[in-house]
C-alpha cells in the first residue's frame, strides 16, 4: 500500500492543505490545455505526476477543482442545509399549527419573517464554496513520497 500523495498547500496550517492519493481522480487545468480535465493519479515520483492519460510536472498545473475535496466545503454545505431546513420546518410547523388551532391556514408575521431570514441565509451561503485551487502566489503543489522503495 502506497502512502505517496499530491499535496495542495495554501499555507502552514494543516486545515488549508488538501491531499490527493494514488488512485484518486483529480480535475485540473494544465498549461498545455486551456480547459479542465478529469484524470486518475496512477503513480508519483520526485518530479512527475503520472495520470491515466497524461504525465505532468506540478508546475505545469494551473488550477485544480477542489469542490468535493476541501473539508471546509462540508461545513458550508451542512450550514446551508441547516438554515434551509430549519426555515422550511418552521414554516411547515407554523402552518400545521394554525390549521389545527384556528381551522384555517395562516402564518404569523414574526414566524414568517424568521423563516424568511433562515431561508435567505441558507441561499446566501450556497455560492460561498471553495471551488478552485490556483497554483500561484502562496499556493503550492508538492509531491510527497512516503512509501519505501
Amino acid at each position: 500500500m502506497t502512502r505517496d500523495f499530491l499535496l495542495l498547500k495554501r499555507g502552514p496550517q494543516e486545515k488549508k492543505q488538501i491531499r490527493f492519493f494514488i488512485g484518486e481522480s483529480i480535475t485540473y487545468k494544465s498549461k498545455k490545455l486551456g480547459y479542465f480535465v478529469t484524470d486518475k493519479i496512477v503513480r508519483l515520483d520526485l518530479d512527475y505526476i503520472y495520470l491515466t492519460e497524461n504525465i505532468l510536472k506540478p508546475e505545469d498545473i494551473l488550477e485544480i477543482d477542489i469542490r468535493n475535496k476541501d473539508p471546509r466545503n462540508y461545513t458550508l454545505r451542512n450550514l446551508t442545509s441547516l438554515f434551509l431546513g430549519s426555515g422550511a420546518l418552521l414554516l411547515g410547523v407554523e402552518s400545521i399549527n394554525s390549521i389545527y388551532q384556528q381551522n384555517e391556514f395562516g402564518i404569523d408575521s414574526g414566524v414568517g419573517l424568521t423563516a424568511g431570514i433562515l431561508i435567505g441565509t441558507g441561499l446566501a451561503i450556497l455560492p460561498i464554496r471553495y471551488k478552485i485551487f490556483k497554483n500561484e502566489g502562496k499556493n503550492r503543489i508538492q509531491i510527497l513520497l512516503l512509501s519505501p522503495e
Side-chain angles (χ1 to χ4, degrees), residues 1-142:
M1 178 82 186
T2 181
R3 296 182 346 197
D4 303 339
F5 59 89
L6 187 67
L7 180 69
L8 311 183
K9 197 171 184 181
R10 289 180 178 225
Q13 298 174 350
E14 191 169 328
K15 70 178 183 179
K16 292 185 177 183
Q17 298 175 359
I18 299 170
R19 293 179 171 108
F20 283 91
F21 293 92
I22 292 174
E24 285 189 82
S25 291
I26 184 169
T27 302
Y28 65 93
K29 184 192 295 186
S30 70
K31 290 179 181 177
K32 297 174 188 173
L33 304 171
Y35 52 88
F36 281 95
V37 177
T38 300
D39 211 341
K40 186 177 178 180
I41 300 173
V42 177
R43 188 167 66 93
L44 299 169
D45 70 17
L46 291 173
D47 298 320
Y48 292 99
I49 305 163
Y50 296 91
L51 304 163
T52 307
E53 301 291 328
N54 206 351
I55 299 173
L56 294 171
K57 287 184 173 185
E59 54 269 13
D60 290 341
I61 297 174
L62 296 175
E63 299 176 355
I64 296 177
D65 185 346
I66 57 169
R67 275 175 254 218
N68 297 324
K69 195 71 175 161
D70 197 330
R72 297 172 293 177
N73 282 345
Y74 298 120
T75 304
L76 289 171
R77 188 177 301 130
N78 290 341
L79 277 173
T80 301
S81 299
L82 180 69
F83 282 116
L84 291 173
S86 59
L89 184 66
L90 186 60
L91 283 176
V93 168
E94 175 64 19
S95 61
I96 290 171
N97 192 30
S98 68
I99 292 171
Y100 180 73
Q101 289 187 353
Q102 301 163 357
N103 290 333
E104 67 179 44
F105 176 78
I107 295 176
D108 183 57
S109 62
V111 172
L113 178 64
T114 304
I117 290 171
L118 287 169
I119 291 172
T121 303
L123 292 174
I125 293 175
L126 269 175
I128 304 172
R129 298 258 167 87
Y130 299 94
K131 297 175 182 94
I132 302 294
F133 177 90
K134 293 186 179 187
N135 193 14
E136 61 186 24
K138 291 182 181 180
N139 295 347
R140 292 191 338 229
I141 299 175
Q142 296 176 320

